[in-house]
Amino acid sequence: MLQDTVAVKVRGFRNLIAALDPARLKLAVGFSSIIARLGLPGETHYAVANEWLGRELDSFAARHTHCRCLALEWSVWSGVGMGERLGAVEGLGRLGVAAVPTALGTAIFEDLIACLPQSTAVVVAGRFGTPGTIALPRSGRPEGRFLERVVVDYPGVEIVAECRLDPVSDPYLIEHALGDVPLFPAVLGLEAMVQAAAVLADGALPESLEAVAFRRPVVAGGEGCTLRIAALVRAPDRIETVLRAEEKDFLFDHFKATVRFGSAAGSEDSLEEARPGPVPELDLDFLYGQLLFHRGRFRRVLGYDELSATRCIARIGPVQDVRWFPRRGEDGLRLGDPAIRDAALHALQGCIPHRRVLPVGVERIRLGHFDPARSYVVHGKELRRDGDRFTFDLRICDDAGALVEVWEGLELQAIESLAPTGGWPVALLGPLLERQVEEFLSEGGLKIRLGEDVPSASLLAVLLGPGRPLLYRPDGRPEAEHPVSAAHAGSLVLAAAASGPVGCDMETVVPRGAAVWKDLLEGRYWALAQTLCEGRQEAADEAATRVWAALEALKKAGASTAHAPLVLERTAGDWAVLSSGSYRVATWAGDIRASGALAVPVRTVVGLALASAEQDGRSAARPRTVSAYGYRHVVGFADTNVVGNVYFAHFIEWQG
């Protein structure tokens, strides 16, 4: 039996070489078996034959250095091959030998013949347990909090490690609890996966993470939980990692990421500069008391320099002498302070104040290292929205303005609604209104700003952007390249801009009595207020104020309700949507927490009227410069409507 088995491998190789011209040969590949190294009961003859085949290839390679030689020592294959024919796949699986899938084995073969391995012999196998016939060098006890116990260790190929989370070893868990449920922070999940990948990369730090997925939150209850972190080399510069928890016996991938070594793809600066504008001061106790659930070391957002529904610039503060893993001699965090990275993520909540959002994935993270003693600035910009999922890009800079880390394609998932008690801060009301008007009217392109004790011109200038003039008509209404509108209520200022006709109004709810309201609203509008009052079960003064704000917004948008009565479309929550002809008006009523004279929450109604140019039967008014006798320039808006062959135009300002 030994002679026959050896003959197939060794004599067959010699006969093949003898039939060829070795000088013309460029590649020689022998299919050997891992049994040559591990052995297998009853298969000594097969082990010897494969060992001798490997030696034949080594000898040939030494004599013919121009020819690339490979002895591929395969493990058992799944679905095809000798192991399948002999019915040995299941038995080997019980011994800890994993079969090679056919598609994967074929792909590995193509990769190996396309490159030049350092050794003639290459083992291609899944896991094969810990046989006594081979001694692999072990990684020992890897450094890192999350690699306490090594379960699987194939140096340079794969590592699986576990750790036990508990409130004493991981005190940050109680500071990252949603309600009473401690959640393992996603940013520490990234740290755990990088620690595992670093073991396989000889301690090197990665340049980036790709295809990051946060599929299921890791719940660390009162007694904690066990994490299992696995890393597998897929290419010289690419390691796949996964984090699982003991929930359901480690069956689910909670977090996943591909760890990249070498240059990270992507632009050096993925975000254009935002346009900072006046942002009303935001009470951080409100931010972290009602909007965000983070406590302790995670409370790092100091305020916003820019905040809208689609953009933010947030300041992140330092912290001193905070230990993450007090039972260890040192924290050993390879990516630096996790709380800075976490604060960069939860700062985006200010852009979506009415829905709690959690991260569910990232296309790419170009990694940096965060110093807990330094301050940072995070720039966020929304790329797109699909229902309850929001996609942002993030750029995090240090206090000197140097770029530290970039998150490209961060996906946030809304999981529940948020409704604060005691009213909305002015700083968050702009993003709230902008988001919900888009939801209720299905109108994109609307931009809203609110401020306190600031000129409306400064808010409108931010909405328009640099280099776009803002002018005022004699009646005080603003005009610009794009339709704009502004309103005041006490110290509060509201500004809006849109791609089509837009009008906004803001009114404080004041008790006036039915007689006064009936006189102000006339009969038909008073009837609408009564319908709102009865249908929504809201106070008569609030319902009447809604109608009044809607009428004012329509006037500012250029609509006439003389022949198109104002009617109710639908209501939901704090909102009521009205319509008049081609115009639709979204009205919001709620408590606003302003500062100064309005420190006590004040009931306020906001009305926003919108109509597309096509719906309104007009093209959008466009500013233009025309010549006029006696003046060098006349800046005005020309309407394209024609009545009796006369073009109407109203001029805003003469510039002599």
Side-chain angles (χ1 to χ4, degrees):
M1 181 182 290
L2 175 61
Q3 185 176 1
D4 292 341
T5 306
V6 170
V8 173
K9 294 281 185 178
V10 178
R11 191 182 305 163
F13 175 76
R14 290 174 179 174
N15 291 338
L16 182 62
I17 293 299
L20 301 173
D21 180 2
R24 299 179 61 188
L25 195 60
K26 296 181 179 180
L27 175 65
V29 180
F31 273 41
S32 182
S33 171
I34 193 175
I35 292 175
R37 295 180 183 273
L38 304 184
L40 187 68
E43 297 291 337
T44 303
H45 57 299
Y46 190 65
V48 170
N50 283 285
E51 170 70 17
W52 288 4
L53 174 61
R55 294 188 181 187
E56 286 287 327
L57 277 163
D58 282 339
S59 176
F60 183 84
R63 298 193 311 270
H64 303 87
T65 56
H66 67 281
C67 180
R68 298 170 56 232
C69 296
L70 281 175
L72 300 180
E73 301 180 11
W74 296 98
S75 177
V76 64
W77 282 50
S78 173
V80 296
M82 185 176 66
E84 187 71 27
R85 290 195 303 272
L86 298 177
V89 175
E90 291 186 5
L92 290 171
R94 288 191 292 269
L95 296 175
V97 178
V100 177
T102 305
L104 180 58
T106 304
I108 292 174
F109 174 73
E110 292 176 347
D111 289 342
L112 287 172
I113 63 175
C115 66
L116 184 60
Q118 296 178 348
S119 172
T120 301
V122 176
V123 175
V124 184
R127 294 178 183 170
F128 48 80
T130 55
T133 54
I134 185 171
L136 292 175
R138 298 299 175 184
S139 302
R141 182 170 180 175
E143 296 182 0
R145 160 70 182 96
F146 302 108
L147 310 178
E148 286 182 339
R149 186 172 70 90
V150 176
V151 179
V152 176
D153 184 12
Y154 293 93
V157 178
E158 181 187 23
I159 186 170
V160 180
E162 293 181 349
C163 70
R164 181 71 185 175
L165 300 180
D166 65 74
V168 177
S169 299
D170 305 273
Y172 57 86
L173 290 174
I174 62 174
E175 299 174 351
H176 196 266
L178 182 55
D180 296 327
V181 180
L183 300 179
F184 181 62
V187 292
L188 279 166
L190 300 180
E191 171 71 29
M193 292 186 287
V194 166
Q195 287 183 7
V199 175
L200 302 179
D202 295 326
L205 284 176
E207 294 289 337
S208 65
L209 302 177
E210 298 177 358
V212 180
F214 305 113
R215 294 180 174 176
R216 297 169 62 96
V218 177
V219 177
E223 298 181 358
C225 70
T226 298
L227 299 182
R228 180 176 292 171
I229 303 99
L232 178 65
V233 175
R234 290 296 189 187
D237 65 340
R238 178 165 57 92
I239 297 176
E240 291 187 4
T241 60
V242 63
L243 182 148
R244 296 172 176 169
E246 64 181 324
E247 175 191 352
K248 302 295 183 182
D249 198 25
F250 302 103
L251 292 178
F252 298 104
D253 295 340
H254 289 258
F255 303 157
K256 292 188 70 174
T258 297
V259 183
R260 285 279 190 177
F261 296 83
S263 179
S267 62
E268 282 302 311
D269 192 353
S270 64
L271 298 181
E272 61 185 82
E273 287 293 337
R275 302 184 297 272
V279 178
E281 184 177 351
L282 180 60
D283 183 0
L284 295 183
D285 288 333
F286 176 92
L287 179 67
Y288 281 105
Q290 299 205 40
L291 205 63
L292 298 168
F293 60 84
H294 310 75
R295 292 182 289 166
R297 73 196 73 200
F298 292 101
R299 294 183 57 158
R300 304 290 282 278
V301 174
L302 301 181
Y304 291 89
D305 295 328
E306 164 75 6
L307 183 57
S308 70
T310 57
R311 285 181 177 271
C312 74
I313 301 176
R315 289 171 277 113
I316 302 174
V319 67
Q320 301 291 336
D321 301 325
V322 171
R323 289 296 311 278
W324 289 84
F325 317 118
R327 285 185 170 178
R328 295 175 58 86
E330 57 182 19
D331 289 338
L333 291 163
R334 302 187 70 86
L335 299 180
D337 185 4
I340 294 170
R341 195 171 278 110
D342 190 86
L345 298 184
H346 67 241
L348 296 176
Q349 183 71 74
C351 297
I352 316 165
H354 64 306
R355 305 293 303 276
R356 187 182 306 285
V357 293
L358 295 178
V360 294
V362 197
E363 292 177 8
R364 179 184 295 109
I365 305 173
R366 289 188 277 141
L367 290 168
H369 189 278
F370 293 108
D371 182 350
R374 295 194 69 171
S375 298
Y376 293 85
V377 177
V378 56
H379 300 249
K381 175 187 177 182
E382 185 181 76
L383 303 180
R384 56 187 175 273
R385 175 189 174 186
D386 183 10
D388 288 338
R389 185 161 292 196
F390 309 84
T391 303
F392 279 79
D393 274 356
L394 285 184
R395 184 185 62 197
I396 309 172
C397 303
D398 63 20
D399 48 11
L403 185 64
V404 178
E405 186 164 289
V406 175
W407 290 50
E408 300 172 1
L410 165 65
E411 291 191 348
L412 303 174
Q413 177 69 47
I415 62 170
E416 62 180 348
S417 298
L418 292 174
T421 59
W424 286 96
V426 178
L428 297 178
L429 194 56
L432 171 73
L433 296 176
E434 193 172 309
R435 290 280 182 194
Q436 293 201 312
V437 168
E438 181 181 355
E439 293 173 5
F440 281 104
L441 299 187
S442 300
E443 291 283 348
L446 176 68
K447 301 297 180 184
I448 297 174
R449 287 276 175 165
L450 277 96
E452 296 181 73
D453 294 317
V454 296
S456 60
S458 63
L459 299 181
L460 291 169
V462 173
L463 294 178
L464 291 170
R468 295 181 178 178
L470 174 68
L471 304 171
Y472 284 88
R473 297 185 341 191
D475 62 1
R477 293 183 183 178
E479 297 274 14
E481 179 180 357
H482 297 291
V484 294
S485 184
H488 299 76
S491 64
L492 300 181
V493 183
L494 170 67
S499 56
V502 62
C504 68
D505 189 56
M506 182 166 51
E507 303 286 345
T508 302
V509 177
V510 177
R512 299 181 187 273
V516 175
W517 278 120
K518 188 173 183 179
D519 183 56
L520 287 173
L521 297 178
E522 304 176 5
R524 53 179 175 163
Y525 299 132
W526 170 242
L528 175 60
Q530 289 179 306
T531 299
L532 281 169
C533 180
E534 295 169 0
R536 293 180 48 84
Q537 295 183 342
E538 68 182 8
D541 289 303
E542 184 171 308
T545 306
R546 278 188 190 272
V547 177
W548 180 264
L551 292 170
E552 291 298 307
L554 285 168
K555 292 177 185 176
K556 293 180 181 180
S560 172
T561 58
H563 303 290
L566 189 61
V567 296
L568 176 64
E569 279 194 9
R570 65 189 179 106
T571 66
D574 298 328
W575 292 84
V577 178
L578 312 174
S579 64
S580 177
S582 62
Y583 285 82
R584 301 175 73 202
V585 190
T587 62
W588 174 87
D591 293 325
I592 299 179
R593 298 169 47 140
S595 60
L598 295 179
V600 176
V602 174
R603 197 70 176 172
T604 306
V605 172
V606 173
L608 292 150
L610 294 169
S612 67
E614 291 77 11
Q615 287 177 318
D616 196 40
R618 300 179 300 177
S619 65
R622 298 176 179 271
R624 59 177 182 157
T625 301
V626 297
S627 299
Y629 180 77
Y631 299 94
R632 286 188 297 172
H633 300 288
V634 179
V635 180
F637 282 74
D639 197 333
T640 59
N641 281 344
V642 181
V643 178
N645 295 324
V646 176
Y647 282 85
F648 288 92
H650 58 277
F651 294 104
I652 302 168
E653 180 179 339
W654 287 275
Q655 297 179 348

